Each structure stands twice: as C-alpha cells, then as structure tokens.
Amino acid sequence: MDKNGEGAAPDPALLLSQAWVEAHVRTLALCLKQQQLETQLAISVGFPAADVALPDGSQRKASSLEDLEEALGRATSVEIARAEEAEALASHWARWRAKDAELGYSAAKEAEQQAADKEQLLLDKLAITPARTIAGVIAKLAVVLREGEDNRDPSDFPLPHIRSVLEDLARVTGHSTPGESKPLSAARAPIGQQGAS
C-alpha cells in the first residue's frame, strides 16, 4: 500500500475513524431522542420532588428519601412530616416510572449510554492505532477535531489549529475526511482553485 492509501489492505486507522463517525452520529441521534423523551416526561408528571417544610420555617425540595433524611433529620417531632413527604415523593416516583414505561425514556437513556460507550471505545482504540497512510492520518485528525468541537468552543485553542492542519493535509493530498463526500480542499478552496494542487 502506498502513502496515500491506495493498495490492497485498508488502513486500520481509516476504518476505525469511519466506525467512530458512525458511532458518533448514532450517539448524537440517541441523545436527542432521550432529551425529547425526558422533556415529555417532565412536562407530563414533573421531576419527582416534594416540598419539605424545615423546622426553621424555610422550604426545601427533596427528590429522594436520602434528601428527606438530610433535610428533616431523625428527630421524633418531624417523623410524621417525613412520613407524609416520603409518601408524596413515592407516589410521584410511581407516576414518573409509569409514564417512563409508556414513553420509553429509560430505555432510550440506556441506549444512548451504550452508544456513547461504544463511541468512546472506538476513540480510545483509534488513539493507539497507528495510521499506515496519509488518508488514515487525515481521518484520525478529523475525529480529534470533531470530538473536540463537540466538547468545547470550536474557536478555543487548539481546535482552529487542528482544523487548519487538517484542511492543509486534505488540500495537499486530495483526501476527504470521514463523513464528508468530497475533499476538504474542494469544499473550502476559492472558486477557480478547486482541485488545484
């Protein structure tokens, strides 16, 4: 195989990069679905919580039995209040779980987590897989850039610098990045200079 990726055996870094792009797209789609379902669930039944009157007269929200224990303590004078709030909270959680089962929120959240775990595994594997071609190097750099852009401001260092190097490599070699249909150079070159080297 030559340095540009032409030949019989595919570059493992290129294959991993393409698999990561597919996993990344799936994770993003599942994240959006999970968020939409969570919104429906919250609108339908609200996030499980109980307003707790504290001994000092203030109020506090509790979303679990642990929150109630922390807010009210174990004093005998507040045991009745704690039992009433615990019952209200348990009832709210029951409504939440019933609506969750109807909507499929927990299943969507689990699917999103599994997709994110697979995406991370591919990202970790890509970091230790040497590229054998320029196309593999470009693909790895594209993954690093895309992951960085998803997790921080795209104008923060070093993302603009990585983007610039990636565009230079794509322009010089004519290779596209995973997930793009044409080389970056053709997509970003001034009109009249597309395809020129």
Side-chain angles (χ1 to χ4, degrees):
M1 181 179 308
D2 68 20
K3 66 180 179 178
N4 292 318
E6 310 297 325
D11 186 328
L14 187 57
L15 295 175
L16 278 171
S17 296
Q18 290 166 339
W20 180 86
V21 167
E22 292 168 7
H24 184 68
V25 168
R26 177 165 168 67
T27 300
L28 291 176
L30 289 169
C31 178
L32 181 60
K33 178 181 179 183
Q34 179 272 134
Q35 290 171 347
Q36 291 168 339
L37 291 172
E38 183 177 41
T39 299
Q40 288 178 18
L41 190 54
I43 289 170
S44 295
V45 297
F47 289 105
D51 290 320
V52 180
L54 300 177
D56 67 4
S58 64
Q59 293 261 331
R60 177 177 167 186
K61 287 233 182 260
S63 59
S64 68
L65 294 177
E66 292 80 18
D67 289 347
L68 284 174
E69 288 291 326
E70 182 181 318
L72 297 175
R74 295 186 174 270
T76 307
S77 62
V78 294
E79 284 184 14
I80 294 173
R82 186 179 339 105
E84 289 171 355
E85 296 299 337
E87 186 177 325
L89 188 57
S91 174
H92 200 162
W93 271 110
R95 290 191 313 277
W96 175 275
R97 282 190 290 276
K99 191 67 174 178
D100 175 9
E102 178 186 322
L103 293 174
Y105 164 73
S106 290
K109 188 173 181 180
E110 177 63 27
E112 177 199 6
Q113 185 59 55
Q114 288 175 1
D117 291 346
K118 179 181 179 182
E119 179 184 352
Q120 185 61 50
L121 181 67
L122 289 166
L123 192 61
D124 293 345
K125 198 170 180 182
L126 183 62
I128 60 172
T129 301
R132 295 187 196 157
T133 63
I134 296 296
V137 172
I138 291 171
K140 286 177 76 169
L141 194 54
V143 166
V144 169
L145 179 62
R146 189 158 180 187
E147 179 68 9
E149 287 175 337
D150 284 352
N151 292 302
R152 61 188 334 161
D153 182 341
S155 64
D156 285 348
F157 178 82
L159 299 179
H161 303 80
I162 293 171
R163 188 178 308 103
S164 175
V165 170
L166 180 59
E167 290 172 351
D168 290 345
L169 280 169
R171 185 185 65 255
V172 168
T173 64
H175 286 284
S176 62
T177 60
E180 290 192 340
S181 58
K182 57 184 174 179
L184 286 173
S185 57
R188 292 183 176 85
I191 296 174
Q193 295 182 4
Q194 292 180 352
S197 339

